[in-house]
Amino acid sequence: MNDTTDAQSTASAASPIGKRYYITTPIYYVNGLPHIGTATTTLLADATARYHKLRGDETYWLTGTDENARKVMEAAQKAGVETQAFVDEVSRRFVEVWEQLNCEYDVFFRTTEPRHARVVQEVFARLLASGDVYKGIYEGWYSVSEETFYRDTDVDAQAQRVLVNGKPTGAVVERLQEETYYFRLSAYADRLKSHIENNPNFLLPESRKNEVLAFIDNGLRDLAITQNRTGWGIPVPGETGKVVYVWFDALINYLTESGWPDNPDWQTLWPADVHLMGKEIFTRFHATLWPATLMALGLPLPKHVVAHGWWLVRDPQTDELVKGSKSGVPLPLPSQVVSLLHEWTGAPEPICVDALRYYILRDIRFIDDSEFSLSMLASRYNADLANDLGNVLNRVLRAGYHTGAIPTPRALDSELIAVAQKTLAGYQEALNRFDWGIALQHVSDLVGAVNLFLQARAPWQAAKNGESDAVADAVYNALEGARLAAYLVSPVMPSASEAIAKQLGVTFAPFGSWEEHARFGALVPGTPTGEPAPLFPRIDKKFVQAPPAPTNKQPKPKKEKQPMSDTTAPATPVTPAVNAAPAEPAGDSHPAGDGRPAGDQITIDDFAKIQFRVADIVSAEKIEGAKKLLKLRVKVGPDEERQIVSGIADAYAPEELPGKQIVVVYNLKPATLRGVESQGMLLAASDEQGRAILLHPDKKTEPGSKVK
Ligand code: MSP
């Protein structure tokens, strides 16, 4: 599919009159407070809605809370609070957090609202009448923490735990035997498969589609959709002592919001344009159960169902990376991270909120998982915001050669025009797939190109030489690049980009159209520029270089204010990968008019250029006349050997090396040492005397395995 057509198909042009671009997040369980994981999907929705507004779409986005679950009821009981009061309070905390994160949703949906119970009961009654729901007996496993039914083959019966990679390390399950109503999910397997196959952008990212198809091929079984319980949940019509299974109830929220079936305007919202979520609730619920329910009701399916990966955190006990969660190794609360950013940078809260929004959306992956750490947040902030975006403005607006108004250039720079076009194409293509990480990477490329352009044109030098035309060219083109970048990041950093726009003397939303702003050359010469001010003060290197592994000795984060007891909705401790040292004084990240930032950091893209590989040492020998050097033959692939010369002779005797597994830099240009060619380099630490300590993989692996 070509970029433009898909961009248009997601815009209002392709929609029925009055149809709004409808975006949803999952509705979150209220058994804990929102953390960085839940914030991720919510921020994806907010940025996507803001982007579609820029494109001229009328948007509508929903978030909310899933309140009828048994685990929510049990959390309230544990807290000794009446369930309704409990859910009211936690739900209120979600609203508070989303407001702090500047999320402009249209509705905060709560499944305890009576309008929702009515629609769920209507769906139930219709499907009972159509034969899609029938009565039976459920005998099997249930996990309360995941609110999921499991098959015998999914569970270790003795350990009463879900199997993960064949091991009983998953959620705790209990055995149930009860009368229930089933939804005839099995009847929809073929229709689901053909919908998925005929609509290539229905399930995104593409790679998850196969996971869903395999899940269906494994045999879709009818699903129990009621549970025997009283007191909490949506009652099953015509029954006593039964409530609707929480997932069946929860998914319907997306439809309830449209006003279906009574409101004649329900089609101005339905079908949803995109359901966003984390990957754990994709396959089983949003990509099969939900579309099958809609098929059974004869309703159109959502256009896109999109899952992102997880934030992983380091488990302080095992040092392994695990999914950050409420019940396991925690992810920080957004407010804690915003406070830390404020401490480190001295920047005002809206800028710190934007920095967090940027980090989350830049670094969450759609296909893989990402590690969340404060040191990575600080590195990302310094690299992309302090050094790059903030620096363009500093280097121009705060420099002596800038006259306070947008100058008239002799011409637009053709190289920057080309970069801008590439950025725009890549950005739009990525956002057709809702992948903000890639979209922001394209914006970073533009900003990088503008900094290089400034470096090459050196307007500070041109000014000294009295070359006013050259200064005007450099200033106009650099500021125009910054303007375009700020416009493109505005859905992610609304406050920061507004501040940039102000410094440039321009206004973005709600004025003007996408076509007007999203092009290179929109700045109008003569426009007075605003008051220059540093936007993203740099985070001191001390923070960034602190040891990444969390330890118990780290300082405790500030506690969130806690209206309820600690056991109910715990304030999640920050995983302290960074020392909470005093903040660097606010100020310029780099003085205006100087060169590029000191090269003490590399970007992930720089790092990605280095290819590390596991290698087997085949042989080792001394080199005559070179006391410190050894010549090694190493195997760096199934059929590939290399010769490496290395200064490790004072630490290792040649005979002890063959058979050892090491890590080498595979794509290093060959060099000649003492007349012997070295085709790579090995990795080693050193002891107090400076003698080499070779690095070995923790377990033996194939020579040639990539190290990342
Ligand atoms: N209530 C259900 C959803 C019903 S939707 C009809 C639910 N709620 S939840 O509170 O458990 O939230 C799950 C969502 O939280 C995920 O889809 C994802 O948005 C987010 N995340 C929770 N932990 C996460 C990570 N560690 N990383 C990224 N996102 C994660 O499931």
Side-chain angles (χ1 to χ4, degrees):
M1 186 173 315
N2 115 4
D3 301 337
T4 356
T5 49
D6 200 32
Q8 278 160 0
S9 80
T10 55
S12 51
S15 310
I17 305 212
K19 171 77 175 76
R20 304 180 83 169
Y21 190 88
Y22 183 25
I23 303 165
T24 69
T25 71
I27 44 169
Y28 304 106
Y29 289 127
V30 281
N31 61 337
L33 297 179
H35 51 60
I36 292 295
T38 37
T40 299
T41 325
T42 310
L43 291 175
L44 276 171
D46 188 55
T48 303
R50 288 175 189 264
Y51 167 65
H52 276 271
K53 276 191 192 143
L54 294 183
R55 306 289 318 235
D57 285 339
E58 240 199 279
T59 60
Y60 193 86
W61 81 269
L62 167 150
T63 190
T65 41
D66 187 354
E67 305 184 0
N68 296 318
R70 183 173 139 192
K71 68 172 166 184
V72 168
M73 182 182 86
E74 289 178 0
Q77 282 164 357
K78 201 165 154 207
V81 180
E82 195 252 321
T83 316
Q84 188 62 52
F86 180 86
V87 299
D88 287 348
E89 175 57 18
V90 183
S91 180
R92 188 187 66 73
R93 299 290 298 274
F94 272 79
V95 170
E96 238 173 51
V97 174
W98 302 154
E99 277 177 5
Q100 187 194 19
L101 294 182
N102 202 0
C103 292
E104 292 182 341
Y105 51 77
D106 292 280
V107 60
F108 188 92
F109 192 100
R110 299 185 57 190
T111 53
T112 45
E113 292 170 46
R115 64 174 176 139
H116 179 59
R118 279 199 300 276
V119 177
V120 171
Q121 290 174 337
E122 173 74 21
V123 168
F124 192 93
R126 286 189 185 208
L127 297 187
L128 191 63
S130 67
D132 281 292
V133 166
Y134 64 93
K135 215 170 193 174
I137 302 286
Y138 176 73
E139 188 178 352
W141 300 101
Y142 189 72
S143 154
V144 179
S145 66
E146 294 181 344
E147 298 289 5
T148 300
F149 296 98
Y150 282 104
R151 305 174 182 204
D152 287 348
T153 47
D154 295 329
V155 163
D156 180 317
Q158 203 151 27
Q160 302 221 332
R161 275 186 179 270
V162 175
L163 293 166
V164 179
N165 300 328
K167 293 200 187 102
T169 51
V172 172
V173 285
E174 61 187 55
R175 189 84 184 157
L176 294 182
Q177 188 181 28
E178 61 188 26
E179 185 194 65
T180 188
Y181 284 87
Y182 278 102
F183 171 58
R184 219 178 275 284
L185 182 59
S186 60
Y188 290 90
D190 290 342
R191 280 179 64 189
L192 278 172
K193 275 181 75 172
S194 75
H195 186 84
I196 294 167
E197 273 153 7
N198 295 331
N199 294 275
N201 290 328
F202 174 51
L203 302 181
L204 291 170
E206 177 105 37
S207 54
R208 289 205 200 287
K209 191 188 309 176
N210 295 334
E211 192 181 304
V212 175
L213 291 172
F215 180 74
I216 298 173
D217 283 340
N218 196 22
L220 276 190
R221 290 190 322 173
D222 293 351
L223 181 77
I225 56 161
T226 66
Q227 291 178 304
N228 288 352
R229 182 165 82 231
T230 48
W232 194 250
I234 297 179
V236 174
E239 288 277 356
T240 43
K242 284 197 193 315
V243 294
V244 176
Y245 167 47
V246 68
W247 265 104
F248 196 74
D249 137 14
L251 288 161
I252 293 171
N253 90 89
Y254 305 134
L255 180 63
T256 301
E257 183 58 21
S258 73
W260 179 91
D262 301 325
N263 186 333
D265 290 336
W266 65 273
Q267 286 181 85
T268 59
L269 269 195
W270 197 260
D273 290 274
V274 56
H275 293 318
L276 297 165
M277 71 210 66
K279 66 181 184 182
E280 76 275 33
I281 57 174
F282 180 73
T283 304
R284 197 180 276 268
F285 299 114
H286 284 84
T288 48
L289 172 61
W290 179 228
T293 308
L294 291 166
M295 283 173 175
L297 290 168
L299 291 172
L301 305 196
K303 302 243 175 64
H304 307 285
V305 180
V306 182
H308 58 79
W310 286 336
W311 288 110
L312 306 178
V313 279
R314 228 164 250 293
D315 183 335
Q317 314 290 307
T318 62
D319 206 34
E320 274 171 31
L321 281 175
V322 294
K323 180 189 177 220
S325 67
K326 282 173 267 193
S327 50
V329 183
L331 278 161
L333 301 179
S335 58
Q336 292 174 316
V337 183
V338 171
S339 304
L340 281 172
L341 277 164
H342 178 65
E343 271 175 38
W344 297 340
T345 64
E349 181 176 312
I351 298 297
C352 297
V353 164
D354 276 11
L356 174 62
R357 289 171 61 108
Y358 182 85
Y359 170 60
I360 288 181
L361 295 182
R362 172 70 179 82
D363 281 332
I364 193 69
R365 303 261 165 280
F366 274 65
I367 296 170
D368 305 316
D369 298 327
S370 321
E371 180 181 353
F372 182 91
S373 86
L374 295 175
S375 68
M376 286 171 171
L377 159 72
S379 300
R380 176 62 77 197
Y381 172 95
N382 276 350
D384 288 17
L385 304 183
N387 289 359
D388 273 2
L389 186 56
N391 209 30
V392 174
L393 298 173
N394 289 336
R395 293 167 92 196
V396 180
L397 291 180
R398 305 184 75 201
Y401 58 84
H402 175 64
T403 54
I406 303 292
T408 308
R410 285 172 298 186
L412 295 181
D413 184 78
S414 58
E415 272 179 38
L416 284 184
I417 294 178
V419 176
Q421 281 168 349
K422 200 166 158 232
T423 299
L424 277 164
Y427 174 92
Q428 289 172 59
E429 191 278 328
L431 293 185
N432 289 339
R433 295 178 285 107
F434 308 92
D435 192 336
W436 275 99
I438 304 286
L440 292 173
Q441 199 175 318
H442 285 288
V443 180
S444 269
D445 291 346
L446 171 64
V447 178
V450 173
N451 268 312
L452 287 175
F453 166 85
L454 267 178
Q455 188 63 20
R457 296 299 179 93
W460 47 93
Q461 199 52 51
K464 275 191 203 146
N465 301 343
E467 297 160 6
S468 57
D469 283 347
V471 173
D473 287 348
V475 168
Y476 182 91
N477 282 287
L479 291 184
E480 174 55 7
R483 182 206 63 79
L484 181 57
Y487 182 65
L488 297 180
V489 294
S490 66
V492 176
M493 299 199 294
S495 309
S497 67
E498 199 184 310
I500 294 174
K502 229 181 188 164
Q503 293 191 26
L504 295 172
V506 299
T507 325
F508 298 146
F511 304 103
S513 64
W514 171 260
E515 285 69 26
E516 210 173 299
H517 292 297
R519 66 187 175 91
F520 194 83
L523 268 181
V524 179
T527 309
T529 51
E531 202 52 47
L535 205 53
F536 301 111
R538 197 176 151 77
I539 298 173
D540 193 298
K541 264 194 335 212
K542 279 200 290 275
F543 301 124
V544 185
Q545 288 175 353
T551 73
N552 298 333
K553 286 187 225 118
Q554 298 286 344
K556 281 230 167 77
K558 273 194 237 147
K559 267 216 149 189
E560 273 275 310
K561 56 177 182 297
Q562 287 262 92
M564 289 175 298
S565 83
D566 279 349
T567 47
T568 58
T572 320
V574 170
T575 309
V578 175
N579 283 313
E584 178 190 18
D588 245 346
S589 53
H590 294 279
D594 67 359
R596 283 287 293 161
D600 54 355
Q601 290 179 334
I602 59 167
T603 66
I604 190 77
D605 297 331
D606 295 329
F607 178 74
K609 287 184 195 148
I610 309 173
Q611 295 174 20
F612 297 102
R613 296 239 177 137
V614 171
D616 282 348
I617 301 181
V618 180
S619 65
E621 59 182 278
K622 291 194 164 148
I623 298 180
E624 254 191 38
K627 269 207 312 217
K628 280 196 154 184
L629 297 182
L630 288 184
K631 183 167 84 180
L632 312 180
R633 280 217 73 76
V634 296
K635 200 166 171 194
V636 290
D639 302 303
E640 195 186 354
E641 282 194 6
R642 293 264 179 100
Q643 172 171 293
I644 291 183
V645 177
S646 182
I648 56 171
D650 55 350
Y652 295 92
E655 57 276 17
E656 63 177 304
L657 290 172
K660 281 199 195 301
Q661 209 160 49
I662 54 171
V663 178
V664 300
V665 178
Y666 178 73
N667 60 340
L668 194 70
K669 227 175 161 175
T672 306
L673 300 169
R674 298 289 181 110
V676 185
E677 192 184 63
S678 181
Q679 303 151 337
M681 188 178 115
L682 55 76
L683 297 193
S686 53
D687 65 14
E688 300 81 11
Q689 277 86 43
R691 283 179 311 219
I693 303 172
L694 288 176
L695 299 188
H696 305 294
D698 189 28
K699 287 192 199 102
K700 277 261 178 189
T701 179
E702 288 303 307
S705 303
K706 291 188 179 140
V707 180
K708 329 183 250 191

